[in-house]
Amino acid sequence: MTGYFDIDDILMEDEPISVVFHVTANGVGMLDPGAESNCVEKGAKVELPFWLAHGLLSLEQAVSINPPPCFTQKTRKEIQADAACVDLKVRCPYFYELGCKIVPLVTDKSIGLFLHYAFTSRYKEVLSKSHSSSMMTVPKFVPRLTKEETRVFESARESMAAFKKWRAGGVRLHKASILGRKRKTKLPDGTSTP
């Protein structure tokens, strides 16, 4: 329950996920827009919010979860070609967060490696743009970033602004007052120096 009160976590868990029912479920026909009765038949593919799909998977093993469309081979090839140019926010604003929660639930275990590759390759571009881009280019770049990348971008811009402020601040080191006083030292013969 670490993200219980986190609005981004709540919104991420509301992302639609495609599931396949392994059992016939009575009384839940409203979940399947194509269902004519009040039940979902075995083998039916239904889009459910992640939180509900996860609950059905963990409690009853009633469904299997398919990887979301944002983790298709097409997206993977686009990111491998040029990760910085891919608009991940359009595919899923919570791309990394959802991916981390999906990995243990799907059969395709390569999603974890794909997430790592996508984040590390895009991370360099995010930091580079945050430190060097002008205010004119930021509005073109930021809308393509996921929520996590936007947080990284904003943190990097704030840290660069703080660094520039610190750097331009003038004298930062002051001599300690104790260093201004001379100490007396005792020599081995018992005499002291002034």
Side-chain angles (χ1 to χ4, degrees):
M1 297 257 257
T2 57
Y4 186 78
F5 293 109
D6 182 14
I7 190 68
D8 285 327
D9 195 49
I10 293 168
L11 291 172
M12 183 276 308
E13 290 203 357
D14 201 40
E15 286 288 319
I17 302 293
S18 175
V19 299
V20 177
F21 275 83
H22 295 300
V23 295
T24 300
N26 293 320
V28 293
M30 65 198 144
L31 297 176
D32 185 6
E36 296 175 6
S37 64
N38 197 18
C39 70
V40 176
E41 298 297 323
K42 180 179 180 178
K45 277 183 130 180
V46 181
E47 293 276 322
L48 298 176
F50 174 76
W51 63 267
L52 182 57
H54 184 261
L56 288 171
L57 178 70
S58 61
L59 293 178
E60 303 291 329
Q61 294 289 322
V63 298
S64 61
I65 295 177
N66 297 326
C70 58
F71 298 109
T72 61
Q73 289 300 322
K74 180 184 175 199
T75 304
R76 292 179 191 205
K77 287 180 182 177
E78 288 175 0
I79 287 180
Q80 288 171 347
D82 190 3
C85 293
V86 179
D87 188 352
L88 285 180
K89 190 173 189 175
V90 168
R91 290 176 171 88
C92 180
Y94 300 97
F95 181 79
Y96 299 109
E97 295 91 338
L98 181 63
C100 288
K101 290 199 176 195
I102 284 285
V103 167
L105 307 177
V106 296
T107 55
D108 185 4
K109 299 303 179 193
S110 67
I111 291 176
L113 294 172
F114 169 63
L115 285 171
H116 181 265
Y117 175 79
F119 188 77
T120 53
S121 58
R122 289 173 62 94
Y123 182 77
K124 296 171 195 170
E125 185 71 18
V126 169
L127 285 183
S128 174
K129 294 272 189 194
S130 67
H131 292 311
S132 62
S133 63
S134 67
M135 292 307 285
M136 300 299 287
T137 58
V138 169
K140 296 174 189 170
F141 178 70
V142 173
R144 295 183 308 181
L145 302 178
T146 65
K147 293 289 185 179
E148 184 67 25
E149 291 170 337
T150 303
R151 282 192 285 267
V152 170
F153 181 82
E154 293 300 325
S155 294
R157 283 191 72 89
E158 289 171 10
S159 68
M160 182 54 83
F163 172 73
K164 286 179 180 176
K165 182 180 176 185
W166 171 82
R167 191 170 167 192
V171 179
R172 291 173 298 279
L173 299 175
H174 299 286
K175 185 177 179 183
S177 61
I178 196 162
L179 295 177
R181 292 183 265 156
K182 292 188 175 183
R183 294 186 342 190
K184 291 184 178 182
T185 57
K186 293 205 178 216
L187 298 174
D189 63 353
T191 60
S192 61
T193 60

